[in-house]
Amino acid sequence: MYLIHAHLEPPPGAAVPVDADTRVCALGRPEERVRHGSLHADAQPHPVLGLFVAAPSLAAAEAVAREVCERALDLDPALRGIRLLRCEAPLVAPYYEGLLTPPAVD
């Protein structure tokens, strides 16, 4: 299972619908194995849709997430006009760097 972030850009003055995660997941096909979605509408600089995809590899998960997002943006009238900027696994380096930072000494 892989977490893939789809970075979305709504049209100027518009927002990504609050139910975009449900809408995108609903257009996933059973064989694509998109298990869950979660919209982070306040992410900066653009909203992010997290998709959990069961796939044999990271590359396969990223490809499935992109295909499902593109399908949803094309077919769902509520999502039309939103651009998919990129679809990729998030980097977790800042988390691990924080673990390596020694605690502050008073």
Side-chain angles (χ1 to χ4, degrees), residues 29-51:
R29 297 177 180 138
E31 66 272 13
E32 292 170 320
R33 302 174 65 197
V34 176
R35 300 296 187 221
H36 177 71
S38 181
L39 178 65
H40 304 279
D42 296 332
Q44 294 298 321
H46 302 288
V48 172
L49 173 61
L51 294 171

Side-chain angles (χ1 to χ4, degrees), residues 4-64:
I4 307 300
H5 278 178
H7 297 260
L8 306 172
E9 182 180 49
V16 174
V18 297
D19 63 346
D21 47 1
T22 303
R23 291 173 174 277
V24 171
C25 289
L27 287 170
R29 297 177 180 138
E31 66 272 13
E32 292 170 320
R33 302 174 65 197
V34 176
R35 300 296 187 221
H36 177 71
S38 181
L39 178 65
H40 304 279
D42 296 332
Q44 294 298 321
H46 302 288
V48 172
L49 173 61
L51 294 171
F52 290 88
V53 181
S57 69
L58 175 59
E62 288 175 335
V64 164

